Amino acid sequence: MNLCDLTSEIVHEGDLSSHSMIKLLGVLFASRKTGRLDLYPGSIRSSIFAFNGIPVYSETTSPGHSVLDVMVADSRLPVEDVLQVKQLAKEKSIDVVQCLQDILEVTESQIYYYRAKSAKEIIIKACGYRSGRYTFTDGEEVFLDLPMYDLNPLEIIYEGMARFHSYDLANEIFAVDQRKVKINQDVRDYFLLPDPLYKHSDVLDLFNREIGVGQAMQVMQNDLGDINQAINLMYLLLVTRLLVFMPEISEDEVFDEVPCLDADASLPPEMEETRKEGGPEQEKQKEEDEDIQDLRRPKPDVETGYVMTKPNSDRVDADPGENRGAPAEEKEAETDPGPGVAPRLRRMAQEIGEASDLFELLGLTISSDLDEINRAFIEKRNALEMDNQEGKSKELARELHDKLKFAHDVLARPEKRIEYERGLVAEERPHAYNAAIGKMLARKTAERGRWYMRHNAPLYARELYEVCIELDPEDPSFFMNLGWSIFRAGAKDSAEAKGYLKSAVKIDPELDRAHYYLGVIAKREGDVKEAEERFRLAIDVNPDNQSAKRELSFMNQDRKQKGVWSKIFGSKK
């Protein structure tokens, strides 16, 4: 049973070698099942009781799980005292728990804690079973006369993976590397994330939109700084169905050379708003793009007829076969392949020859994501029908294919794309003759920056947002995005990032995402008071800010957990 085959219903009996305990716990949680799961890895029997998908109790015939054993493991009881407690309990004809209360003054709440921890340990150790069988019995009647403990399923599954499956999960994640996932909006009870991931809970923002598992893995590895933690987190989210798979794309639509993103970069939180297709904002952006393209488009010199395009050796957009200094008439002639060429290829050659940049060459916009870039290349490549061409048509088809591939390779790889866009931005900036054009160029440059944030290259986004501020220092969103890109790029000192974010809220106190970002940074730095204040401000400004609501929920649960520990043992764990 692999990750893609997991269903929302548990199989009521099976083999542990094909249905691992981790996956069974995940399905129990995802399906909100109530009942008893019995495991038989050999002569041992372990039973896990789940209520609405949450483990609440467990028992086992395996030794080493008593309250005494847990207290010893927790350094609350010396090993040498265990025999003494057992002996005294036998002499006084009382159970061990009563003996602990009488002799060591262990309180009822402490006993409850260690019993709950014992139940948790039984389930975690069961995650290591690799053979045997299991059965699941539905119904609430299995809970008659049983205690019920508040156990965290996410912590249990994560600990089980960390202890027993550190080297088993990578292949399963790799098998779904190309699948798209998204956060399951039907699941509201995330519980408390495992402690190593608590400070990085904002990474869940990544899944507010569809994203490939492979790309998300790279992001989480960069953010967490540990590949094993990234694997465990992704597996946890998938196996519990906190993330759901999107419908799979047919094989003929999948591009087989998806480029690797910058492995040294960090990820954006994916909080940027996307424009609705066909909406007024998109139409406005399209008009602005056309205006800017018109400003940039090379014009023939009135006297000489030459296209006055300044060569730039630092630019990667100069196609080796392009004659940038040809007369205007000659330039136009280059788009005409001449007689003996298939009409479709003739039209494509003309379209490609007239394209003002690589985006237009592929029929894209600067905001087109990686999937759109790949699909555009595939569609145009397939339209060439290279295998069906002969003579001049075949030669032209090969030439057009090379141009299409060149455009794809540049636009799909951040490290190449930024070199190309630096040149475009350098050409556009001198045209900011007045404030209105400057603002228009700034918005377009910000759109370029958002692409790099979405595609795991915040270092490149940073330089574009710096240009935005130079062009339009009155827009608070540019300060906000610059501050967040600096933080996401892995800045050792967050002061600069916070400085830009605070500048953004100074200009516009209603900028909820800026407050949210400041809250995330404060949480990472351990400033709980500041983090909570910022998250509350984000919600006050925008009651629909689900990310801020989720973070406050996590922090409240963390406070409750630490509060319980403090009440039981008189100090924070």
Side-chain angles (χ1 to χ4, degrees):
M1 182 167 67
N2 60 40
L3 286 170
C4 288
D5 293 335
L6 288 174
T7 65
S8 59
E9 289 294 328
I10 189 169
V11 179
H12 282 70
E13 59 181 314
D15 196 318
L16 288 171
S17 61
S18 57
H19 298 71
S20 74
M21 180 59 183
I22 286 176
K23 289 175 181 173
L24 292 174
L25 288 174
V27 174
L28 280 175
F29 175 77
S31 59
R32 300 297 187 266
K33 278 291 186 180
T34 295
R36 185 183 73 223
L37 180 64
D38 292 314
L39 310 170
Y40 304 92
S43 58
I44 296 171
R45 177 184 63 80
S46 296
S47 299
I48 289 90
F49 298 81
F51 187 80
N52 287 336
I54 312 301
V56 292
Y57 182 70
S58 67
E59 58 188 21
T60 184
T61 59
S62 175
H65 294 88
S66 68
V67 171
L68 292 178
D69 294 318
V70 176
M71 290 181 70
V72 170
D74 209 30
S75 300
R76 291 281 171 174
L77 181 67
V79 178
E80 55 268 20
D81 288 353
V82 173
L83 290 177
Q84 183 181 356
V85 171
K86 289 182 177 180
Q87 184 64 32
L88 287 172
K90 185 177 181 181
E91 291 175 1
K92 294 189 174 187
S93 299
I94 57 177
D95 63 23
V96 169
V97 170
Q98 184 64 51
C99 187
L100 286 170
Q101 290 176 310
D102 292 346
I103 299 174
L104 300 180
E105 298 182 350
V106 179
T107 65
E108 285 282 355
S109 59
Q110 290 173 338
I111 292 297
Y112 176 91
Y113 170 82
Y114 283 117
R115 280 178 165 165
K117 192 164 185 177
S118 173
K120 179 180 175 181
E121 280 296 309
I122 290 171
I123 304 173
I124 290 173
K125 288 186 178 179
C127 291
Y129 297 161
R130 296 180 181 275
S131 62
R133 60 189 180 87
Y134 74 88
T135 59
F136 180 76
T137 305
D138 283 293
E140 296 183 15
E141 62 275 7
V142 298
F143 293 97
L144 294 176
D145 301 322
L146 285 178
M148 295 176 68
Y149 302 115
D150 185 16
L151 304 179
N152 187 330
L154 301 190
E155 283 186 342
I156 289 173
I157 294 173
Y158 181 84
E159 185 64 25
M161 289 188 295
R163 286 197 204 177
F164 305 108
H165 298 276
S166 295
Y167 303 103
D168 301 343
L169 308 180
N171 287 336
E172 290 196 57
I173 295 293
F174 182 76
V176 295
D177 186 73
Q178 299 300 321
R179 293 294 303 274
K180 296 280 186 180
V181 290
K182 189 176 182 180
I183 204 160
N184 188 350
Q185 299 295 343
D186 295 332
V187 179
R188 299 293 181 186
D189 47 349
Y190 289 93
F191 296 86
L192 190 65
L193 287 177
D195 189 59
L197 308 169
Y198 170 69
K199 285 188 177 180
H200 297 266
S201 54
D202 57 289
V203 78
L204 292 174
D205 290 332
L206 173 65
F207 303 103
N208 287 339
R209 66 179 182 90
E210 293 182 20
I211 186 172
V213 171
Q215 184 181 349
M217 274 297 301
Q218 191 175 78
V219 165
M220 290 191 291
Q221 180 184 350
N222 293 333
D223 207 40
L224 297 168
D226 186 321
I227 182 61
N228 289 323
Q229 282 191 8
I231 291 172
N232 288 345
L233 174 59
M234 176 61 78
Y235 202 93
L236 174 70
L237 296 174
L238 290 173
V239 82
T240 56
R241 287 298 180 262
L242 294 177
L243 292 182
V244 291
F245 288 106
M246 297 293 101
E248 197 162 13
I249 301 171
S250 60
E251 288 186 9
D252 59 340
E253 292 183 287
V254 178
F255 183 52
D256 57 1
E257 295 180 14
V258 176
C260 294
L261 299 179
D262 186 355
D264 295 325
S266 196
L267 172 80
E270 297 310 326
M271 294 291 295
E272 302 294 345
E273 298 177 359
T274 54
R275 293 189 302 274
K276 294 181 180 179
E277 256 187 65
E281 287 298 318
Q282 189 180 32
E283 290 301 317
K284 180 180 178 183
Q285 181 67 37
K286 184 177 178 181
E287 291 174 6
E288 290 181 355
D289 287 351
E290 289 174 351
D291 290 342
I292 295 170
Q293 290 285 12
D294 188 58
L295 285 171
R296 279 200 313 105
R297 190 168 283 112
K299 303 295 191 300
D301 183 88
V302 177
E303 296 182 2
T304 65
Y306 278 75
V307 178
M308 303 303 290
T309 306
K310 183 180 178 181
N312 188 338
S313 59
D314 295 330
R315 287 270 302 279
V316 297
D317 62 323
D319 190 319
E322 184 181 359
N323 184 356
R324 299 177 64 87
E329 294 85 351
E330 187 178 326
K331 185 79 173 178
E332 183 178 350
E334 288 180 5
T335 65
D336 185 0
V341 173
R344 176 183 293 189
L345 289 181
R346 186 186 295 274
R347 287 194 299 271
M348 287 189 68
Q350 185 173 0
E351 291 172 1
I352 289 175
E354 293 176 351
S356 62
D357 58 30
L358 298 184
F359 296 99
E360 189 175 332
L361 189 149
L362 287 175
L364 301 166
T365 68
I366 57 176
S367 59
S368 298
D369 64 23
L370 194 57
D371 284 343
E372 292 173 309
I373 295 171
N374 289 337
R375 285 194 177 94
F377 171 71
I378 292 170
E379 289 174 5
K380 290 185 177 293
R381 179 191 64 183
N382 292 344
L384 293 174
E385 298 181 348
M386 293 182 64
D387 293 338
N388 299 328
Q389 309 296 346
E390 295 180 355
K392 280 190 174 182
S393 291
K394 190 174 187 67
E395 184 179 336
L396 178 60
R398 187 178 294 109
E399 179 184 334
L400 296 179
H401 175 270
D402 290 344
K403 289 180 180 290
L404 292 170
K405 189 174 187 306
F406 176 82
H408 171 271
D409 289 348
V410 170
L411 299 185
R413 289 175 167 79
E415 67 278 7
K416 288 186 176 182
R417 178 173 174 139
I418 189 61
E419 289 295 326
Y420 175 63
E421 292 202 292
R422 281 171 183 153
L424 296 182
V425 171
E427 288 181 6
E428 292 168 355
R429 289 179 69 177
H431 295 289
Y433 305 118
N434 54 48
I437 296 177
K439 290 178 182 294
M440 184 171 64
L441 289 173
R443 286 195 294 272
K444 184 172 184 180
T445 305
E447 192 69 29
R448 298 186 192 280
R450 280 192 283 275
W451 189 92
Y452 291 100
M453 289 294 283
R454 288 196 301 268
H455 292 83
N456 199 26
L459 281 172
Y460 303 147
R462 172 179 181 167
E463 65 177 87
L464 291 169
Y465 288 132
E466 287 173 344
V467 172
C468 293
I469 292 175
E470 291 175 14
L471 291 168
D472 181 9
E474 297 178 357
D475 191 322
S477 69
F478 300 152
F479 289 88
M480 176 188 72
N481 289 327
L482 176 56
W484 189 238
S485 64
I486 290 171
F487 178 72
R488 281 293 178 174
K492 293 181 180 179
D493 183 5
S494 62
E496 185 181 13
K498 289 191 291 187
Y500 282 110
L501 287 166
K502 288 178 180 179
S503 295
V505 295
K506 186 176 181 180
I507 298 172
D508 182 6
E510 302 289 297
L511 209 55
D512 65 299
R513 281 180 295 152
H515 289 298
Y516 169 73
Y517 294 153
L518 283 166
V520 169
I521 296 174
K523 181 183 175 185
R524 293 277 185 95
E525 294 178 338
D527 191 341
V528 177
K529 184 178 179 181
E530 171 72 10
E532 286 188 331
E533 182 180 344
R534 288 296 179 180
F535 291 141
R536 293 189 190 283
L537 282 170
I539 295 170
D540 289 343
V541 172
N542 177 16
D544 293 327
N545 192 318
Q546 297 301 321
S547 296
K549 288 181 179 179
R550 186 192 62 227
E551 289 301 323
L552 274 181
S553 175
F554 286 151
M555 296 182 78
N556 288 335
Q557 291 180 70
D558 186 61
R559 183 186 296 106
K560 288 178 182 177
Q561 187 182 59
K562 290 177 179 176
V564 169
W565 177 267
S566 180
K567 289 178 181 178
I568 293 174
F569 296 105
S571 63
K572 290 185 179 181
K573 188 177 179 181

